[in-house]
């Protein structure tokens, strides 16, 4: 009961803080820029990775939404989650409001768990908002239809099609999966937020780590070997892409071994970072 | 007769990277006290209060709030506290700040919110966002938040910092009223001697991290009452005062300060004059003086 009470107020603070809405505004900007970019580069008439398909068959609302989600997952959403979660403790320490919370009965553990949960709920709201917004804009610009899927790491499988009646479930699972995967970024941001009184350090530290990992992961295998890439967190954060394979009845189906390995990696790292953040927060002196 | 102990610290220490900022501080606050925690800036007052409230972990020593350590979070429901500047959420209204902080302390009915807002004279501005409040309004709202759960102990860390003279006067009146009308024990940290002298019945003086003195404010001042004396011959006057058991100090040429609390009991100005006359000493000036807390404080801090 106390946890729910604290969580309610943490969500209320996010809801009333203007900076919490930067993520939603960025989603709108991101969709608009992507739409503009599609038109500008005449994406409609091009081939993708040498795979020939008539543009009129794939460029529609669901395709646009899926494209936006996949790009935003590595470009926009980490930024949003790092700023929201990174501000949770360090921001309150900087503003002095952490003192007001900690001189009251709820324990530090309870407060930390409520802040972590509020960050994850907010993150999921942003992911769902982005997806719904992209669907809306995509439908208005290109109309509806089946979802044609092209996933970079499955490029050898080419394109596949998800029926119009099936893609809402695929998107729902993708939104949940992407949110769960980004919980790792939230956990790192919370850990850094517990370590410092300056939210900028938590934001920059989290994003710096995420982008370094992403860049190293994207280097050719000749430069950065696969064994090393397996140690990078971002290598395992795409586990939610398995939902697209699950939706392809004619394909090879879900790669269960990869799914288990990636979920285990991400889940373990997320739990380790959350627990480490809690450990730090319970012991730190609040001097700000 | 002392009341039950509400707050006690025992040999509390805090070290940061080998530097001791609080050094074996022991204080005892009894029920009904308005207790002044007095010290110059940087003396370790806020760090001590943070340890009392569980914000900072002591390097050594312990804290008891109502006989329990502050890690027992239930005791914090009996305490209202403001540590340093008022810490409030600027994006929330004054009322929402109070609702949230009350909820975290176990909840309070809407009528109680109005009651405390009325008390700090903010009811008319309660629905405005706190970011547009003045510093004084924020300070008053923080006091309201501290009072919401009907605490038995209120800890106020430098509550008049940044207030204008009217705000300072109102704050002092509020502190007095908390103790007098509500029976709340108050621990008031301040570097303003006049504040402690006007408001507190008991106090501790802290300097360079260590407690220099603790006790009744009146006792501290009365124990240092003195007589200012100009007389001829000065050496004869000094000898007479010393025979009475008083301490004598020549503070400037021709001027003696004679302590009234002598080894053989109180040395009254009348008794001193009689003894001086009997010894043939001519008295040019004799004035009974009570030192201000400021003088006592400075002498204790300089001695530290």
């Amino acid at each position: 009961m106390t946890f729910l009470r604290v969580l309610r107020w943490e969500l209320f603070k996010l809801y009333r803080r203007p900076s919490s809405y930067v993520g939603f505004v960025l989603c709108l900007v991101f969709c608009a820029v992507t739409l503009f970019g599609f038109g500008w580069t005449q994406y409609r008439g091009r081939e993708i990775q040498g795979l020939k398909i008539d543009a009129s068959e794939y460029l529609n609302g669901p395709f646009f939404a899926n494209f936006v989600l996949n790009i935003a997952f590595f470009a926009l959403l980490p930024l949003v989650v790092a700023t929201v979660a990174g501000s949770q403790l360090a921001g309150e320490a900087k503003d002095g409001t952490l003192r007001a919370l900690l001189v009251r009965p709820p324990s530090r553990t309870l407060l930390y768990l409520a802040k972590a949960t509020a960050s994850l709920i907010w993150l999921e709201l942003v992911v769902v908002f982005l997806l719904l917004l992209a669907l809306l804009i995509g439908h208005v610009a290109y109309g509806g239809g089946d979802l044609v899927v092209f996933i970079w790491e499955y490029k050898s499988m080419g394109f596949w099609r998800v029926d119009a009646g099936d893609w809402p479930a695929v998107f729902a699972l993708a939104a949940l999966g992407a949110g769960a995967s980004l919980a790792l970024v939230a956990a790192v941001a919370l850990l850094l937020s517990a370590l410092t009184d300056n939210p900028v350090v938590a934001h920059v530290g989290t994003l710096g780590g995420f982008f370094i990992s992403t860049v190293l992961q994207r280097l050719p295998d000749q430069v950065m070997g696969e064994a090393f890439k397996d140690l990078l967190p971002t290598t395992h954060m795409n586990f939610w892409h398995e939902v697209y394979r699950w939706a392809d009845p004619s394909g090879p189906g879900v790669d269960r071994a990869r799914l288990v390995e990636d979920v285990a990696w991400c889940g373990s790292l997320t739990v380790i970072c959350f627990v480490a953040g809690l450990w730090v927060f319970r012991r730190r002196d609040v001097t700000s | 007769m002392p009341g039950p102990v509400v707050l006690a610290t025992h040999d509390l220490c805090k070290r940061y990277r080998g530097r001791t900022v609080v050094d074996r501080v022991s204080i005892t606050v009894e029920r009904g006290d308005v207790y002044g925690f007095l010290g110059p800036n940087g003396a370790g007052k806020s760090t001590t209060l943070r340890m009392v409230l569980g914000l900072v972990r002591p390097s050594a020593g312990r804290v008891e709030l109502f006989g329990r350590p502050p890690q027992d979070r239930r005791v914090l429901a009996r305490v209202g506290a403001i540590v340093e500047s008022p810490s409030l959420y600027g994006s929330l209204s004054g009322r929402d700040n109070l609702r949230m902080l009350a909820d975290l302390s176990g909840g309070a009915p809407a009528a109680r919110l109005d009651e405390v807002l009325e008390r700090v004279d903010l009811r008319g501005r309660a629905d405005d966002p706190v970011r547009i409040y003045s510093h004084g309004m924020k300070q008053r709202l923080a006091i309201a938040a501290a009072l919401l759960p009907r605490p038995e102990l209120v800890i106020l860390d430098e509550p008049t910092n940044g207030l204008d003279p009217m705000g300072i006067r109102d704050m002092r009146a509020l502190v007095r009223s908390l103790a007098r009308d509500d029976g709340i024990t108050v621990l008031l940290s301040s570097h303003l001697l006049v504040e402690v002298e006007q408001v507190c019945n008991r106090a501790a003086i802290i300097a360079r991290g260590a407690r220099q003195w603790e006790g009744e404010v009146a006792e501290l001042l009365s124990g240092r009452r003195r007589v200012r004396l100009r007389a001829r011959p000065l050496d004869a006057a000094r000898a007479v005062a010393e025979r009475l058991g008083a301490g004598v100090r020549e503070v400037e040429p021709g001027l003696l300060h004679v302590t009234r609390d002598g080894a053989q009991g109180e040395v009254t100005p009348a008794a001193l004059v009689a003894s001086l006359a009997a010894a043939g000493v001519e008295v040019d000036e004799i004035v009974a003086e009570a030192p201000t807390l400021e003088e006592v404080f400075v002498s204790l801090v300089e001695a530290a």
Side-chain angles (χ1 to χ4, degrees), chain B residues 1-3 28-37 175-176 179-180 184-188 193-204 213-221 293:
Chain B
M1 185 173 163
T28 306
V29 181
E30 291 156 6
R31 188 175 296 281
D33 275 348
V34 179
Y35 188 99
F37 195 45
V175 171
R176 282 193 211 101
R180 190 185 56 230
I184 295 173
T185 306
V186 180
L187 169 54
L188 174 77
L193 301 141
V194 65
E195 192 160 87
V196 171
E197 196 171 0
Q198 286 180 10
V199 173
C200 302
N201 64 312
R202 294 182 69 239
W213 176 87
E214 183 189 39
E216 303 275 340
V217 173
E219 189 181 286
L220 178 69
L221 298 177
L293 186 55

Side-chain angles (χ1 to χ4, degrees), chain A:
Chain A
M1 189 60 193
T2 311
F3 171 76
L4 291 179
R5 187 182 286 177
V6 179
L7 175 61
R8 184 167 67 96
W9 284 110
E10 288 304 323
L11 286 170
F12 183 71
K13 283 189 281 182
L14 281 172
Y15 162 70
R16 294 299 295 271
R17 189 192 303 156
S19 61
S20 301
Y21 294 93
V22 170
F24 292 96
V25 174
L26 284 176
C27 286
L28 185 62
V29 171
F30 191 71
C31 285
V33 169
T34 305
L35 187 69
F36 180 73
F38 272 23
W40 183 267
T41 56
Q42 296 177 328
Y43 187 87
R44 186 185 292 266
R46 294 191 174 200
E47 295 172 349
I48 299 175
Q49 292 299 309
L51 295 163
K52 291 187 177 164
I53 185 169
D54 184 348
S56 63
E57 287 186 33
Y58 66 83
L59 191 54
N60 56 16
F63 181 87
F64 180 79
N66 198 42
F67 181 90
V68 164
L69 178 65
N70 275 272
I71 301 298
F73 179 78
F74 274 102
L76 170 66
L77 295 174
L79 177 77
V80 173
V81 68
T83 48
V84 170
S87 299
Q88 287 286 15
L89 298 169
E92 294 229 24
K94 179 169 169 275
D95 294 343
T97 47
L98 195 57
R99 294 194 304 261
L101 299 178
L102 294 179
V103 298
R104 286 176 166 77
S107 67
R108 290 190 183 201
T109 303
L110 198 71
L111 190 65
Y112 183 88
L113 293 177
K115 284 185 174 295
T117 309
S119 300
L120 295 179
I121 290 173
W122 201 258
L123 160 68
E124 198 56 51
L125 283 176
V126 175
V127 173
V128 169
F129 173 79
L130 174 70
L131 202 46
L132 292 177
L133 183 69
L135 273 170
L136 177 69
I137 291 175
H139 270 83
V140 170
Y142 305 117
D146 294 345
L147 166 65
V148 172
V149 175
F150 176 78
I151 301 293
W152 177 255
E153 68 249 41
Y154 304 136
K155 56 182 180 290
S156 60
M157 292 169 62
F159 292 91
W160 65 90
R161 185 177 296 276
V162 179
D163 290 342
D166 292 338
W167 61 250
V170 170
F171 278 155
L173 286 172
L176 277 175
S181 178
L182 287 167
L184 174 56
V185 180
V188 173
L190 261 175
L191 169 60
L192 294 180
S193 190
L195 282 165
T196 175
D197 287 347
N198 185 349
V200 175
V201 173
H203 303 161
V204 173
T206 306
L207 286 174
F210 181 85
F211 287 124
I212 287 169
S213 177
T214 302
V215 168
L216 293 178
Q217 177 212 340
R218 298 290 168 100
L219 290 174
D221 288 350
Q222 298 90 322
V223 178
M224 208 57 70
E226 260 190 71
F228 175 77
K229 286 184 183 177
D230 271 348
L231 300 175
L232 298 170
T234 47
T235 304
H236 303 281
M237 286 180 68
N238 280 336
F239 64 82
W240 58 282
H241 283 170
E242 291 296 324
V243 73
Y244 297 111
R245 286 169 61 126
W246 167 74
D248 177 16
S250 59
V254 173
D255 182 346
R256 289 181 187 279
R258 182 211 167 195
L259 182 64
V260 169
E261 185 191 341
D262 285 353
V263 169
W265 259 96
C266 267
S268 304
L269 279 174
T270 304
V271 169
I272 287 169
C273 289
F274 269 130
V275 171
L278 176 60
W279 188 85
V280 169
F281 183 56
R282 279 171 55 89
R283 278 155 185 77
R284 71 172 284 188
D285 288 338
V286 177
T287 53
S288 58

